[in-house]
Amino acid sequence: MAGIYLHIPFCKQACTYCDFHFSTNLSTQEEVLALMREELRFRENELAGEKVNTIYFGGGTPSIVGADDIARLIQTIADQYDLSDKLEVTLEANPDDIEIVKLGSWKTAGINRLSIGVQSLNDDVLRWMNRSHNSKQAKEAVHLALEQGFETSTIDLIYGMPEMSEQEWIDTLKYVSDCGINHVSAYNLTVENGTVLSHQIKKGARIPPDDHTGSLHYGILVDRLESNGWDHYEVSNFAKPGFRSTHNSNYWSRIPYVGVGPGAHSFADNIRRWNVSSNQHYLKKFSDGSYFESEQLTRTDRINEIIMLGLRTAIGIDTYSLEAEGFSIFREHEDYLKSFIENGMLEWDETYLRTTRKGMYFADRIASDLFLVS
Amino acid sequence: MKHIRNFCIIAHIDHGKSTLADRLLQETKTVSERDLKEQTLDDMDLERERGITIKSHAIQMNYQHEGQEYVLNLIDTPGHVDFSYEVSRSIAACEGALLIVDAAQGIQAQTISNLYLALDHDLVIIPVLNKMDLPGAMPEEVKDQIEELILCDRDEIIPASGKTGLGVDKILEAIVDRIPAPKGDPNAPLKALIFDSVYNSFRGIIAYFKVINGEINSGDKVKFVHTGKEYLADEIGVLRMKQEPRKSISAGNVGYIISGIKEAKEVKVGDTITHTNDPTKEAIQGFEDVKPMVFAGIYPVDTEDFEDLRDSMAKLQLNDASLVFEPESSMALGFGFRCGFLGMLHMEIIQERLEREFGMTVITTVPNVSYHAFVKGSEMVIVNNPTDLPEPNHIDHVEEPFISAQIITASEYVGAIMGLCMEKRGVLKNQVYLTTNRVELVFEMPMAEVVFDFYDKLKSISRGYASFDYHPIEYRDSHLVKLDILLNGKQVDALSAIIHRDKAYEYGKKICVKLKELIPKQQFEIAIQAGIGSKIIARETIKAMRKDVTSKCYGGDITRKRKLLEKQKAGKKRMRQVGSVEIPQSAFMAVLKIND
């Protein structure tokens, strides 16, 4: 199996918290999209005949480019790559871009899943985040997408804002649980360097998010969704039974993927590579092949990736894949694992070593404890 | 011998000693204009940066006066109270001293105590009023101070400026005219005073000496009286800008000896050199085996570097015999060394030299003094590490070192300084007005109270207008207790401290608060407690961390995130663990920042 990621690096406006690569200069759109098709063709051999089971349009804001552009990109993939019969094709969409005509064209183009950037149902929050929609639009967009047959869609939420009360968060989750959507990704607000938000916090214009609120909201999130029958299958991802995201899951199982477009990452053959995070540089450097950097993973890197990613998921660390690297995690960390299994942070079923509900709160810390150092 | 003059310079830090010394070297053409780096005499980088002399130095000049050539030996002395024994030995090698006083700042405590040392040794004092070029110079007022202090004639005071060269010629004339030639018997058995030693990686230890009686020749068999060791004088010579070998050095003169000595501790400042065959009957008076005053643990940051640290300390000791150390182990810090230093400055210097010259990063525990614990029905135990204090029920009493502290300040700060010293358990012993506005205060106080948090406070309450000097007096009985720090019930040995009982509560509270700031949250709650014996006197709690996982980890995040966690792991490796609690290095120095 394999995946394809397409980074659409354009936005109408900048969200204050976002540190993904995007540009609000839309004039190069056509050129960049044409070059992405070129990149797809150029890299067709990288997946070595693996069947592609997921295509993902991320951004930026993929919903602001024309549906015909999306169709052309999907067509290019279909022409060059071997597609699986069971194919997930996701497009990230802002609620204010979701309308009935567009939904029809996306469906025609081959999109079968939307990732709707709801973020919050608090209009004040949406305003300071500089989102281009309000909560009413968000709910309407979700409703419309479901109605038009995008029932595998997902919504994105952000929590941990100091001004969001517990009750507000509970109400948001109640809406999510009842609205008919089958997948949610929810993220703690983090302040990334270089964002408008970090600048505002430095100036004292905004209260920084605190650990206490973050973990409080996270606890509510996990409790509410799990008790409503959601499958908490990764730190920040929840699905109704049968609705896990193929694309996201591929990342955590270290399945290869080709990422095209400015700032996109790829993984295949033990190499992680990333395209330059600048539309201009992407356009300029593509022809001489200097538009990306890469890193060959060492054995230690691979082992640490398996540990780090495995601990984030409900599946857990596949200890056989560690054995295949000649690494016995039980031999290496016997006492540590014993005590963590005893105190209910980890569990072990002869094949998989995974964090418990309690342990998942500390997945990073446990991962770094279990890391191999070279 | 009658054309030799041996002199030292007494000055407070920053009063311009080194600059003026450089002028003398220039004027006598000992050093060419081109070779004159600023402050030629201070050759350690550290000395130049800090503007103080750590080691003694000596240099010989030739000076023509009234048709006669004179040999002038300048013996430079360390400028810090930590090294007062070395100062006393340098003074003992001289017949005269230049007393350099900053015309803008006046006389300071350090100057006075060294001046008294010089007067004790019957040195002729030549008062010099330096920095006359400064706009803030107040020559008449400072002349009053000098006059009163050394009972000299006002016109004996030489106005000078190291910067402009003013008075340099007058100083040289005064050295020849006023300082007597050394008295000694060139025909008596050899008797030479070692006043310093330096380490040279090719030639071993080089000892500096002044010949009191007799004559030393290259190739002589010599004996160091106090260590009892015998050597062959491979090379002797005089100290000019370079070492210049000579065949012989006779009574009154100053020189160096190289005799294949590998370790600094074989050359003790104050020791007497004599001939093996025809030894002097009595050694030179005033020899002391210098004892460390301040102790602290030094541990490698990475426990695997213990052997490297041992090698580095051993190399440091080769050229700094006043550093003592012995291996010790701590539950919290692993294997390291309990080190003894002459004082806090000496401790800082050692720490910096370990880092600069040997690339070692170390954890230094909070310094303490040496205590005498008297165990019931048994003998006295010397306690250089708080954890070695016997159990309270076994102790009859504990004694701690007291010092006599001399502080000179402007009269408006007297109240604040008295308050500070009393808070530090000091007792005022004397108060003298040196001039209408300058006061000398003498306190007796426990050495432990000045080890940390004293100099800085003194400076800030006096806005820098207080100078401080001390000397140890005696051990006295004090009501001392051992305060332990516990993390989740487990004692952190490296944080134990011996402290006066009346201060234990406040101190315990403060250190718990400080540790709360310095120890990162962990998955469980951490109780920080301070206790005396089994009694808990203070407590703080670090709440459990509720979550340690980042939200997003997709295709583009994996590499960055893995590297971040690897870095965290490396950082954690540098932390120390007590029970299940991880402690960062900074926590071990928490006490030093207790009032921040």
Side-chain angles (χ1 to χ4, degrees), chain B residues 201-228:
Chain B
S201 49
F202 300 107
R203 315 214 55 186
I205 307 298
I206 304 170
Y208 295 172
F209 60 82
K210 179 205 181 186
V211 181
I212 310 283
N213 291 331
E215 184 179 82
I216 183 168
N217 297 290
S218 172
D220 283 355
K221 276 173 90 176
V222 295
K223 182 177 164 182
F224 291 7
V225 175
H226 286 280
T227 62

Side-chain angles (χ1 to χ4, degrees), chain A residues 3-21:
Chain A
I4 292 177
Y5 174 80
L6 302 103
H7 193 79
I8 309 294
F10 301 104
C11 289
K12 276 188 281 195
Q13 61 193 61
C15 303
T16 57
Y17 55 84
C18 180
D19 76 330
F20 285 106
H21 167 62

Side-chain angles (χ1 to χ4, degrees), chain A residues 198-218:
Chain A
S198 89
H199 184 67
Q200 289 171 341
I201 287 172
K202 268 179 214 147
K203 275 194 327 197
R206 185 152 292 288
I207 314 163
D210 60 296
D211 291 353
H212 177 75
T213 310
S215 46
L216 187 73
H217 288 176
Y218 186 64

Side-chain angles (χ1 to χ4, degrees), chain B residues 334-345:
Chain B
F335 290 101
F337 299 95
R338 176 77 9 190
C339 305
F341 309 99
L342 299 176
M344 288 297 284
L345 178 74

Side-chain angles (χ1 to χ4, degrees), chain A residues 187-188 215 236-237 251-252 257 265 272 295 301 304 308 312 361-365 368-369 371, chain B residues 523 545-556 558-559 561-563 565-566 569 572 582:
Chain A
Y187 307 112
N188 200 339
S215 46
S236 304
N237 283 269
Y251 287 137
W252 307 318
Y257 55 95
H265 287 240
R272 293 206 177 266
E295 204 170 81
D301 296 343
N304 290 349
M308 175 181 87
R312 297 180 63 86
Y361 279 71
F362 300 101
D364 281 2
R365 196 216 142 87
S368 84
D369 287 346
F371 267 12
Chain B
Q523 299 111 296
M545 181 192 253
R546 299 167 44 141
K547 183 161 154 269
D548 185 0
V549 59
T550 46
S551 285
K552 280 192 186 173
C553 192
Y554 297 114
I558 293 169
T559 300
K561 178 123 190 82
R562 173 179 56 78
K563 288 180 178 168
L565 294 182
E566 282 170 350
K569 172 147 195 155
K572 236 179 293 177
E582 280 164 347

Side-chain angles (χ1 to χ4, degrees), chain B residues 540-593:
Chain B
E540 290 289 324
T541 306
I542 299 176
K543 291 226 179 77
M545 181 192 253
R546 299 167 44 141
K547 183 161 154 269
D548 185 0
V549 59
T550 46
S551 285
K552 280 192 186 173
C553 192
Y554 297 114
D557 307 311
I558 293 169
T559 300
R560 190 173 56 148
K561 178 123 190 82
R562 173 179 56 78
K563 288 180 178 168
L564 190 75
L565 294 182
E566 282 170 350
K567 215 169 131 194
Q568 274 175 24
K569 172 147 195 155
K572 236 179 293 177
K573 237 184 109 192
R574 293 163 76 102
M575 291 211 202
R576 298 305 159 102
Q577 198 148 5
V578 170
S580 51
V581 182
E582 280 164 347
I583 313 171
Q585 298 160 40
S586 58
F588 294 101
M589 291 300 271
V591 181
L592 297 184
K593 296 176 214 127

Side-chain angles (χ1 to χ4, degrees), chain B residues 465-588:
Chain B
Y465 290 107
S467 61
F468 172 69
D469 188 34
Y470 69 83
H471 63 269
I473 42 176
E474 59 180 353
Y475 271 76
R476 289 181 189 168
D477 189 354
S478 281
H479 203 153
L480 299 167
V481 292
K482 179 160 80 91
L483 186 89
D484 295 319
I485 300 297
L486 297 93
L487 294 176
N488 280 354
K490 288 234 163 78
Q491 192 190 321
V492 187
D493 55 3
L495 287 174
S496 291
I498 294 174
I499 187 160
H500 193 268
R501 202 176 138 125
D502 294 348
K503 295 188 157 191
Y505 281 83
E506 194 199 342
Y507 175 89
K509 178 79 195 160
K510 278 187 175 172
I511 189 160
C512 287
V513 169
K514 197 73 204 173
L515 287 172
K516 184 179 177 176
E517 273 173 41
L518 295 171
I519 297 174
K521 281 185 174 181
Q522 285 160 49
Q523 299 111 296
F524 40 82
E525 191 173 279
I526 302 167
I528 306 170
Q529 294 169 306
I532 301 168
S534 57
K535 192 178 168 208
I536 298 301
I537 60 167
R539 179 191 163 119
E540 290 289 324
T541 306
I542 299 176
K543 291 226 179 77
M545 181 192 253
R546 299 167 44 141
K547 183 161 154 269
D548 185 0
V549 59
T550 46
S551 285
K552 280 192 186 173
C553 192
Y554 297 114
D557 307 311
I558 293 169
T559 300
R560 190 173 56 148
K561 178 123 190 82
R562 173 179 56 78
K563 288 180 178 168
L564 190 75
L565 294 182
E566 282 170 350
K567 215 169 131 194
Q568 274 175 24
K569 172 147 195 155
K572 236 179 293 177
K573 237 184 109 192
R574 293 163 76 102
M575 291 211 202
R576 298 305 159 102
Q577 198 148 5
V578 170
S580 51
V581 182
E582 280 164 347
I583 313 171
Q585 298 160 40
S586 58
F588 294 101

